[in-house]
Amino acid sequence: MNAATLAWRALRHKPLASSLNLLLVAIGIAMMTFILGVSSQLEEHAERDAQGIDLVVGAKGSPLQLILSSVYHADIPTGNIPNSALAALAAQPLVQSAIPLALGDNFHGVRIVGSTTALLDHYGAQLAQGKLFAQPMQAVFGAQAARETGATLGARFAGSHGLASGGEVHEHAPYTVTGILAPTGTVLDRLIVTPVASVWRVHETDPDEPAATAPQRELTAVLVQYASPLAAISLPRWVNSQPRLQAAQPAFEAARLFNLLGVGIAVLRAIAAGVLLVAALSLFVALYGALEERKTDLAILRTLGASPGKLLRLLLAQGLLLSLTGAALGWLLGHAGVGLLESMQQLNLQAWRIAPGEAWLPVIAVAVGLLAAAIPAARAYRTDIAATLARS
């Protein structure tokens, strides 16, 4: 009978203690897996959504709020800016492209974004069905937006006021679905895109609002791509000198955001490491206690021909068996947790995608098992047959 078989039978001899130790290791590894999976995917999504956007121009306020509302569509805008700002930015020689955004309404909680087809081109969108919008009050749905709202080609829908569901419904100005986009893996999947003129028409023709003879047309933000690296020096300064405009750089604000989130992630990693340390101590206590109880059995094994090395391997095998089984269970639980989070928050997470740092988890599990079993295994190796049998 080999060491692995003896170790398995020894663990089965105390099922409750073995299960609790297994559970502790599994919880620690599950926390590590969950944190690595979620943090790496969110960071990757944030980089992909902001890729190619050098500057966001919007109303004065918090730069981080401007980035969150205009690039990631996860916050409310800081306000509106004059429509004339788009032409002024496009006329700058250091600007390669300027994409307008006009927010204000939603459909079942999905944001309706007034823009141009340049926004679709920026994210490399491809049509899965239908065609792009060609005139106001036509709209194309991102893949996730279409799935959540049940949108079909040719269907008509009315937006609701505000960026969250539950606002006043603009029944007087319905949209027509002309196209549904293929998944891009970007924030575009969660949006409904329509010409900017659609957003203006919805609010200018609202029967509950007084008609304006010369409406002041506004935008929410403009996404800017530089034509030259020199623009990073002079353009934000020019924008911030304008009375109603503010410049925010996605790269800088995203780094600031992840620095803030990094503190929380570091705390969670420390908690997971603490759980693994407790698991290692618990394993050590269990194996040491089993050694004390089974001294006579081990001495008899020695008299039957078992070498000191075999007793050493027996204790090490018990520690490794518990830690590796717990690691496998924890890995499954961690990825299941990522899937559960995705079903609750729609963060475009892939439950079973393996993060680069997960390669270290089996190494950590082996280290925990070996460290916990090292001292009991060494004592088993030095078992004095005559003294042990004389005391028993």
Side-chain angles (χ1 to χ4, degrees):
M1 190 174 293
N2 58 34
T5 306
L6 283 173
W8 169 245
R9 292 189 176 181
L11 293 175
R12 286 181 58 190
H13 180 65
K14 290 195 169 184
L16 180 59
S18 300
S19 300
L20 289 176
N21 289 319
L22 191 72
L23 188 61
L24 276 174
V25 176
I27 291 173
I29 294 294
M31 291 179 68
M32 289 281 193
T33 304
F34 180 83
I35 294 165
L36 287 172
V38 172
S39 61
S40 65
Q41 290 193 53
L42 287 181
E43 194 164 352
E44 183 181 315
H45 292 167
E47 290 176 359
R48 191 186 305 159
D49 290 344
Q51 193 170 20
I53 301 172
D54 297 316
L55 193 72
V56 178
V57 179
K60 289 191 182 297
S62 164
L64 179 57
Q65 184 180 349
L66 178 58
I67 297 299
L68 289 175
S69 62
S70 302
V71 178
Y72 303 116
H73 295 275
D75 201 350
I76 58 174
T78 53
N80 289 330
I81 59 176
N83 182 40
S84 58
L86 177 63
L89 284 165
Q92 293 286 328
L94 295 175
V95 172
Q96 179 175 323
S97 68
I99 304 173
L101 297 180
L103 307 178
D105 293 332
N106 76 92
F107 177 55
H108 293 320
V110 177
R111 292 189 177 201
I112 300 173
V113 179
S115 188
T116 66
T117 54
L119 181 67
L120 309 180
D121 294 338
H122 175 79
Y123 289 110
Q126 299 288 329
L127 279 167
Q129 302 177 45
K131 59 183 180 182
L132 298 180
F133 49 77
Q135 60 188 33
M137 307 318 298
Q138 294 182 341
V140 295
F141 279 61
Q144 184 177 332
R147 187 169 61 250
E148 290 179 0
T149 61
T152 55
L153 292 182
R156 291 166 68 83
F157 70 95
S160 300
H161 192 67
L163 298 179
S165 57
E168 175 193 357
V169 180
H170 298 301
E171 296 284 3
H172 65 283
Y175 293 89
T176 301
V177 182
T178 61
I180 295 174
L181 302 174
T184 63
T186 68
V187 68
L188 189 63
D189 294 345
R190 299 187 277 115
L191 302 178
I192 300 170
V193 185
T194 185
V196 174
S198 304
V199 179
W200 291 338
R201 181 181 296 185
V202 168
H203 295 91
E204 291 170 3
T205 60
D206 190 339
D208 296 330
E209 298 292 333
T213 54
Q216 298 293 318
R217 290 180 166 173
E218 296 180 319
L219 298 171
T220 304
V222 180
L223 308 180
V224 175
Q225 188 172 24
Y226 296 150
S228 163
L230 293 175
I233 300 172
S234 58
L235 193 60
R237 190 182 307 159
W238 177 82
V239 170
N240 288 326
S241 68
Q242 305 304 305
R244 294 184 58 185
L245 302 184
Q246 172 189 221
Q249 301 180 60
F252 176 77
E253 297 301 330
R256 195 159 68 93
L257 175 64
F258 276 97
N259 281 338
L260 294 173
L261 293 176
V263 176
I265 292 172
V267 171
L268 290 175
R269 283 179 177 166
I271 293 173
V275 172
L276 283 175
L277 180 61
V278 171
L281 290 174
S282 178
L283 273 177
F284 168 75
V285 171
L287 293 175
Y288 198 88
L291 175 67
E292 292 296 319
E293 292 177 2
R294 295 164 53 207
K295 271 185 175 178
T296 305
D297 298 338
L298 296 176
I300 293 173
L301 277 176
R302 289 287 312 279
T303 59
L304 293 176
S307 65
K310 187 165 187 176
L311 298 187
L312 177 79
R313 291 194 296 273
L314 171 64
L315 270 293
L316 291 177
Q318 286 187 42
L320 287 175
L321 194 57
L322 278 174
S323 60
L324 288 176
T325 307
L329 180 61
W331 185 83
L332 292 173
L333 288 174
H335 281 282
V338 176
L340 180 63
L341 180 65
E342 168 59 21
S343 67
M344 295 169 64
Q345 297 294 328
Q346 301 293 319
L347 296 173
N348 200 21
L349 301 174
Q350 298 177 35
W352 299 101
R353 182 174 176 180
I354 298 176
E358 289 182 43
W360 287 100
L361 295 180
V363 178
I364 293 173
V366 169
V368 167
L370 289 178
L371 284 174
I375 294 177
R379 287 205 59 189
Y381 182 84
R382 296 195 299 266
T383 298
D384 186 331
I385 303 174
T388 302
L389 293 178
R391 285 197 298 268
S392 60

